[in-house]
Amino acid sequence: MGGAVVDEGPTGVKAPDGGWGWAVLFGCFVITGFSYAFPKAVSVFFKELMHEFGIGYSDTAWISSILLAMLYGTGPLCSVCVNRFGCRPVMLVGGLFASLGMVAASFCRSIIEVYLTTGVITGLGLALNFQPSLIMLNRYFSKRRPMANGLAAAGSPVFLCALSPLGQLLQDHYGWRGGFLILGGLLLNCCVCAALMRPLVASQPGGGPGPQRSSRRLLDLSVFRDRGFVLYAVATSIMVLGLFVPPVFVVSYAKDMKVPDTKAAFLLTILGFIDIFARPAAGFLTGLKKVRPYSVYLFSFAMFFNGFTDLTGSTASDYGGLVVFCIFFGISYGMVGALQFEVLMAIVGTSKFSSAIGLVLLLEAVAVLIGPPSGGKLLDATHVYKYVFILAGAEVLTSSLVLLLGNCFCIRKRPGEPRPEAAAEEEKLHRPPADSGVDSREVEHFLKAEPERNGEVVHTPETSV
């Protein structure tokens, strides 16, 4: 299982952009599906849990909130584990934790026990799978990375389409306890995905394995010196305050309109079905040469679109209105899901991504922990779903404006980005004069002074993000 060098990725390995990377992409697809769809799919059990334990909306909303908070808040812990032990062993342990939590939840006798098992243990297991899978995807894809991110992100809606009706079916036939037990068995598939995460190994020109890199810090805090990273972290933290609220409450919203339970759960299937096509489409669009440099602005537009959809969805008065809301929410939510980690990868680069994603998820965890319960508290106080959707929309709209205005006025030019004039001067300096002679002793001295670069990548302004 090795040390940090195992997971850091050999310097001389070029991203394959295919090959075994497609197997890694499939594993990331499944892990993303479980990680993001599970907290939403569990909401179909909320009515049963309310009757079982005699609790309110805000109490049940804590289940999804704790799940997401563990997925986000344990980011630095995941970064340290990945940098110390590698992606594959961390994901294997995470798969066992995720399954164990749901199995244990089926025997719970109080809502507090459900919080600890479904929320904490299963949430930790999903976190130990989700972050390493993204790190591996980032290593296996470079030129095709936006497309790979879009396809992997499509796992969330695909699994949402499957898990939401499956959860309702399991609840009808086996009750919420039997449903939790069966879902715990399904989560063991995370261990299968972990086995697909084969680490890249550097090779010397002779065919043998290259030298291992020296260990790096387990958690790199230098990313906070990057203004682009700080702005991204602030904007996404505001965004997640409201991003996950509508999917958590839309089923209960429909049931409050006297819509049958199965028909209400079908709303999440509609949302997920639209999301399936929105995420890969956004990934392919971002991968275009003329669009990729402006991915941050496209991400800002996606957040604005999502917030505006929440505001218009608050006016829904019947089942048809909720169907229209789920269609447009699926489009905007898919764009956000496909772009959020692609933009982070573009900001910090491959070498710092494992630490950056952990720190970003930690900052977002507080907002995730506040979002759904605050919506539940507002609903308990007013008994009007309209206000919950308005609050969520306002928060997401604010985040889009923070990111857009910050990029326009605070980050006109990245600090390390060379000016065109400087790049031209550098090119002139490296270009040998046409009519000047070169002494052979100077050449020999120069070659001896050059460090050996076999199996290493030379970083230039063009290869740095």
Side-chain angles (χ1 to χ4, degrees):
M1 297 197 321
V5 292
V6 174
D7 186 73
E8 189 176 354
T11 322
V13 176
K14 182 181 179 182
D17 276 309
W20 189 256
W22 299 117
V24 173
L25 175 58
F26 174 76
C28 191
F29 173 88
V30 175
I31 295 298
T32 303
F34 276 126
S35 300
Y36 275 116
F38 209 80
K40 305 180 191 71
V42 169
S43 66
V44 301
F45 295 96
F46 282 2
K47 284 285 186 180
E48 281 290 319
L49 292 172
M50 289 168 63
H51 293 309
E52 175 84 13
F53 300 115
I55 53 179
Y57 287 107
S58 60
D59 297 312
T60 55
W62 273 100
I63 299 173
S64 295
S65 187
I66 293 173
L67 265 170
L68 289 170
M70 290 300 295
L71 181 66
Y72 282 69
T74 55
L77 173 64
C78 295
S79 296
V80 171
C81 291
V82 165
N83 290 334
R84 176 65 181 87
F85 300 107
C87 289
R88 182 184 286 174
V90 171
M91 292 178 68
L92 285 170
V93 173
L96 294 175
F97 273 34
S99 176
L100 177 63
M102 291 304 294
V103 172
S106 64
F107 298 97
C108 290
R109 298 297 175 184
S110 68
I111 191 64
I112 300 297
E113 294 176 357
V114 176
Y115 292 159
L116 293 175
T117 52
T118 301
V120 177
I121 298 178
T122 298
L124 176 61
L126 292 175
L128 292 174
N129 275 270
F130 175 62
Q131 186 172 321
S133 67
L134 286 178
I135 294 171
M136 291 300 295
L137 188 70
N138 186 38
R139 295 198 183 131
Y140 269 87
F141 290 90
S142 179
K143 293 181 180 179
R144 296 178 177 175
R145 194 181 65 205
M147 178 202 68
N149 273 304
L151 291 174
S156 174
V158 169
F159 274 64
L160 186 59
C161 286
L163 289 178
S164 180
L166 176 63
Q168 190 68 53
L169 185 66
L170 293 176
Q171 179 179 275
D172 294 340
H173 286 79
Y174 305 105
W176 71 269
R177 295 185 185 275
F180 275 26
L181 186 64
I182 295 173
L183 290 175
L186 287 176
L187 285 173
L188 284 174
N189 286 290
C190 293
C191 296
V192 179
C193 297
L196 298 174
M197 302 298 164
R198 187 169 67 191
L200 292 170
V201 180
S203 298
Q204 290 182 341
Q212 293 284 354
R213 291 179 60 178
S214 58
S215 300
R216 64 174 177 179
R217 287 175 291 179
L218 295 180
L219 191 62
D220 190 355
L221 299 178
S222 65
V223 291
F224 283 106
R225 299 173 186 171
D226 189 334
R227 289 181 294 173
F229 171 79
V230 173
L231 181 63
Y232 173 91
V234 171
T236 53
S237 297
I238 299 173
M239 176 188 70
V240 297
L241 281 171
L243 183 65
F244 302 115
V245 171
V248 169
F249 287 98
V250 68
V251 174
S252 299
Y253 193 1
K255 291 179 180 179
D256 190 66
M257 295 178 180
K258 309 303 179 183
V259 175
D261 289 355
T262 305
K263 198 174 179 181
F266 189 67
L267 287 171
L268 289 180
T269 304
I270 296 173
L271 190 158
F273 181 77
I274 300 298
D275 199 2
I276 289 172
F277 300 98
R279 294 188 183 225
F284 280 106
L285 177 64
T286 309
L288 298 176
K289 290 183 179 180
K290 294 185 178 179
V291 179
R292 194 169 183 180
Y294 304 98
S295 58
V296 175
Y297 297 99
L298 186 61
F299 182 43
S300 178
F301 169 76
M303 290 191 293
F304 183 88
F305 186 17
N306 185 267
F308 183 76
T309 302
D310 290 344
L311 295 180
T312 55
S314 65
T315 61
S317 57
D318 54 14
Y319 184 74
L322 289 179
V323 169
V324 174
F325 162 75
C326 286
I327 292 174
F328 284 96
F329 186 87
I331 296 173
S332 60
Y333 189 77
M335 294 177 66
V336 171
L339 291 170
Q340 57 179 339
F341 295 115
E342 165 60 26
V343 171
L344 179 59
M345 291 175 188
I347 290 173
V348 301
T350 303
S351 61
K352 295 184 178 181
F353 180 69
S354 61
S355 295
I357 186 175
L359 294 169
V360 165
L361 293 179
L362 175 63
L363 294 173
E364 293 177 358
V366 178
V368 170
L369 197 61
I370 294 173
S374 64
K377 285 290 185 183
L378 181 61
L379 184 60
D380 288 337
T382 63
H383 300 284
V384 179
Y385 282 89
K386 175 180 179 179
Y387 300 142
V388 176
F389 282 69
I390 290 176
L391 176 63
E395 290 164 344
V396 179
L397 279 176
T398 301
S399 67
S400 70
L401 294 177
V402 169
L403 186 62
L404 177 64
L405 297 177
N407 273 277
C408 289
F409 298 106
C410 299
I411 314 180
R412 293 181 181 273
K413 182 73 67 176
R414 292 177 58 89
E417 185 176 345
R419 295 172 301 170
E421 299 85 1
E425 288 294 327
E426 185 178 351
E427 184 179 355
K428 290 180 181 179
L429 289 173
H430 287 287
R431 186 185 304 162
D435 56 347
S436 62
V438 180
D439 188 82
S440 60
R441 287 174 298 180
E442 294 179 1
V443 174
E444 182 181 0
H445 177 73
F446 174 79
L447 292 176
K448 287 182 178 180
E450 275 290 293
E452 293 183 1
R453 295 183 178 179
N454 292 334
E456 296 183 0
V457 172
V458 181
H459 294 286
T460 65
E462 291 76 18
T463 59
S464 300
V465 178

